Amino acid sequence: MTTTQARELPRWRTDDLYAGLDDPRLTADLATLREEVAALEATFDEVGVRKGGSPATTEALDRVLGGLNSVLARLTPLRGFVSAFVTTDSRDALAQQRMGELTTLTLPLGPLRSRLTAWLGEQDVEALLGQSDVARDHEHLIRRSVEYARHQMTPEEEDLAARLRPSGAGGWAKLHGNYSSQLTGEYRGQRMPVTALRALATDPDEGVRRDAFDAELKVWQDAEVVLAAALNGVKGEEGTLAARRGFPDAVAPSLLTHGIDRETLTAMQGAVERSLPDFRRYFAAKARALGKDRMDWWDLFAPLGRSETEWTYEAGTRFVEEQFRGYSDRLGDFAARAFRESWIDAGPRAGKRGGAFCMGWQQGESRILMNHDPSLDSVSTLAHELGHGYHNLLKASRTPLRRETPMTLAETASIFCETIIQNAALTRATGEERLYVLETQLLGHAQVVVDIHSRFLFERAVFEKRAERDLTPQELNDLMTWAQRQTYGDALNTTHPYMWAVKPHYYSLAFYNYPYTFGLLFGLGLYAQYGQAQAQGQEADFQARYDDLLASTGLADARTLAARFGIDLRAPEFWEGSLDVIRAQIRAYEAVVG
């Protein structure tokens, strides 16, 4: 996509918060936030919020949680506003300065959360819940704090770890984001951003895809020393802290963070591994359609079929709103508002982060970043991110602490909305368009099941090796290739050894991968129940219960919320049922391809 085309796509609105990064009101609000953080520190000291501190009275709990909620409520729009500039132009010096200022003034919040966890972890939880309305409102937070407290270091060590994170793992993650967003490569005599090179993976011409792939690998190879240092820095810190906190392995802390237990992860991943031969049938069928014995990595995103629909951004927004409204007026109205009020920064451009995300803004509003290209896949991405925004809207009446949602559940609404769009496209498709839609569905599912599992295997192996020493770029490449071979099997001639450099997920939360698989399969399971409710004329009841689930993702764990729909997350049968939906799509795909 040319720069001119990118400029024609909508950009998100920011002036509803501040006129710009140099707005005096922004400066004043940052100063107010600094004062509120300092006041919160004073409250924690006065109340005795620390390990071995004073007992939690009703009044003390009200002051502490009320103060923290107030600070977090002020922080959300400030962080969103500054992020809106940092993520769309990494070269914006003032934006980087403001983000640095915000990071520094919120630095005490990490140690304060550690102190709160230690304090709550020592309380008589049942007595506290019986005495305090505030405690009952925050019961999930309190019970999770008890679990976290079992794995805390000494107060001094926790304080130091929290204060060092922005300049440690956080700094390495920032380096990866800023550095990788500015990388360019040489393609057929033209200098292109690496994100544009990766976008050529969807070109119908294999020669274009192959040359772009080769050019992309050269970019990552030239950047490998910097990015390997960043990954070693992030994983070294996380692994050291996990061991110091007494976790049995690097996966264990992620289970707490993502809100599931090991039995659930084992059941889900067992089902995933049993599905890999089915996905390899999909890859084999796609290879046949491309006229090849086996695919290469640059063929994974190759288009198949033909869409009679021109998936411009405008056409995509109309389709999304129409299909959302077919599910419910509330969801349709939400999408219409997001488009009308310019919540979305749609087009790719130099200095802008790749991929897509949704972030909170103010009072139930969100802002969505994406890099649109004219495809159903991009429209599905739009629906996916709007699902996150809808989730934010439903949680808006909760306090910030009661909105905190693990990533496993954070993907529920996004996958559900994506499924609405893809199923609608498939229902109306025939002939070549049917192949196009099935390919879009299965390409996405393969990424979230097959590729995500390779990322999990890679990350687990990196943690194990990194405990011994820094890993060289070649060792990271070798581990990445091994992990891809474990999941893709012999379906591919070539692999992508530098995916560890491509994906920002490795540089943020540990195991920022399997929650996507959870979200897909949990979302498909819920959507299947919606189909049953619709057939029985009970869709309104389902919609009410589903919205209540989304509004409650900060109030209970995944297993408890799933039980409301009769789902046992530890049962392999549930995960197999969701994967059976995908298996049916693979059979349909094979029938079309022949």
Side-chain angles (χ1 to χ4, degrees), residues 2-22:
T2 66
T3 305
T4 301
Q5 288 173 315
R7 279 200 299 266
E8 293 171 352
L9 291 175
R11 299 192 181 191
W12 49 28
R13 182 184 180 190
T14 58
D15 63 1
D16 56 329
L17 286 180
Y18 303 99
L21 290 165
D22 55 357

Side-chain angles (χ1 to χ4, degrees), residues 320-389:
V320 166
E321 182 181 343
E322 177 187 347
Q323 301 310 321
F324 278 15
R325 198 170 298 284
Y327 170 77
S328 75
D329 285 338
R330 187 179 191 184
L331 187 59
D333 289 343
F334 167 78
R337 180 188 176 195
F339 300 142
R340 183 177 64 251
E341 297 182 3
S342 301
W343 291 8
I344 300 161
D345 195 290
R349 55 187 181 273
K352 182 178 176 180
R353 293 281 175 95
F357 66 79
C358 174
M359 63 180 176
W361 195 249
Q362 64 172 347
Q363 299 170 348
E365 295 182 18
S366 298
R367 290 297 183 268
I368 291 169
L369 178 144
M370 61 180 296
N371 287 271
H372 174 79
D373 65 73
S375 67
L376 176 59
D377 183 59
S378 195
V379 176
S380 296
T381 296
L382 173 61
H384 180 106
E385 300 305 334
L386 283 168
H388 285 303

Side-chain angles (χ1 to χ4, degrees), residues 14-31 78 81-82 85 94 98 101:
T14 58
D15 63 1
D16 56 329
L17 286 180
Y18 303 99
L21 290 165
D22 55 357
D23 189 335
R25 293 190 305 111
L26 175 61
T27 302
D29 283 352
L30 287 169
L78 284 168
F81 182 80
V82 177
F85 291 87
L94 182 55
R98 287 299 204 188
E101 184 180 353

